[in-house]
Amino acid sequence: MKLDDLIPYDSEKGAGLLIKVGPHYIFQVSGEKHNILNGERFFSGIGGHVEASESFVEAAVREAIEEIGTEVELLNSEKTYYLKHTGQIIELSLYEEITPLMIYEMVHPGGTPKAGKLYYIVIFIAELKGDIGELNYWEVSALLGLKKEQIAEYVDKKVSIEKILEQGGVVLRGKISAGTKLFPLGTAAAFGKVIRFLSRRGEKI
């Protein structure tokens, strides 16, 4: 089975990255262009929209350079988990040049221009090939490092930056104002759901 068999050609598509550095996975915290109220911000995987005539792999590599200023190496995953918008998680065997870890059907939230529509995110495991560069604070206010246990815990809640740091998270670049509450979106939410799914089956990722 191929990605093209699963994702409609004319759908909105994105590529996301799960980058591990030591015990932490790296997530971007939303920048100034994202109008989040009440002192809240979202955190998500490095990544973004797939441009016309661009592959998921090409988009993932490009987004890393644009958002954190360095190249990454995409790694093959032994299994792929397909997270349906209904909440179902399906384990797949894909035949791709680089096999992703997850495919996530994200539903645009209510009150947004695309409310209710699906956004397909293909998520790869990756390693840094260089040092993280300067951030574009309009796009990304900070880079947050979270342990796997934290990612699973935060799937369905908003958590203060103080609590995140207390539980072993780190701010790798940029800054997050005191009292800011963070919530997961896209790749971050998908990964937390897969960790929980595997935990219930007595498996690890």
Side-chain angles (χ1 to χ4, degrees), residues 13-34:
K13 307 179 188 73
L17 295 169
L18 277 173
I19 305 170
K20 192 174 183 184
V21 176
H24 298 100
Y25 289 87
I26 299 175
F27 297 97
Q28 59 175 331
V29 178
S30 56
E32 295 301 322
K33 81 171 187 177
H34 301 283

Side-chain angles (χ1 to χ4, degrees), residues 54-78:
E54 189 177 43
S55 71
F56 288 104
V57 167
E58 290 168 339
V61 171
R62 172 183 55 76
E63 288 286 350
I65 294 171
E66 290 178 0
E67 293 184 350
I68 59 174
T70 188
E71 293 186 5
V72 295
E73 179 180 359
L74 305 188
L75 306 178
N76 272 303
S77 176
E78 292 183 5

Side-chain angles (χ1 to χ4, degrees), residues 42-200:
F42 65 79
F43 63 92
S44 60
I46 307 304
H49 281 79
V50 176
E51 305 292 347
S53 75
E54 189 177 43
S55 71
F56 288 104
V57 167
E58 290 168 339
V61 171
R62 172 183 55 76
E63 288 286 350
I65 294 171
E66 290 178 0
E67 293 184 350
I68 59 174
T70 188
E71 293 186 5
V72 295
E73 179 180 359
L74 305 188
L75 306 178
N76 272 303
S77 176
E78 292 183 5
K79 299 177 180 179
T80 300
Y81 300 95
Y82 190 174
L83 289 77
K84 305 285 287 183
H85 69 279
T86 56
Q88 184 183 18
I89 299 178
I90 304 168
E91 190 175 301
L92 301 173
S93 293
L94 292 183
Y95 299 95
E96 295 286 336
E97 179 183 356
I98 300 176
T99 308
L101 175 66
M102 298 180 287
I103 303 166
Y104 183 38
E105 291 182 355
M106 190 180 90
V107 181
H108 283 286
T112 63
K114 298 178 182 178
K117 293 185 178 180
L118 292 182
Y119 176 37
Y120 294 84
I121 308 175
V122 174
I123 301 163
F124 298 93
I125 303 167
E127 292 180 346
L128 295 174
K129 292 177 70 174
D131 295 330
I132 296 171
E134 293 298 317
L135 302 181
N136 176 350
Y137 291 109
W138 179 247
E139 298 275 353
V140 180
S141 62
L143 292 183
L144 185 65
L146 297 177
K147 295 183 177 180
K148 187 167 61 175
E149 298 74 18
Q150 291 179 285
I151 301 165
E153 179 184 346
Y154 304 158
V155 165
D156 48 13
K157 65 172 65 173
K158 297 173 182 177
V159 59
S160 70
I161 183 58
E162 288 81 6
K163 186 71 172 180
I164 289 172
L165 299 178
E166 181 184 305
Q167 293 181 328
V170 294
V171 178
L172 298 166
R173 287 285 191 281
K175 61 181 181 179
I176 304 173
S177 301
T180 300
K181 288 190 175 182
L182 300 169
F183 61 92
L185 195 67
T187 296
F191 192 39
K193 291 175 182 178
V194 167
I195 295 170
R196 286 186 176 184
F197 170 74
L198 292 177
S199 178
R200 289 193 295 270

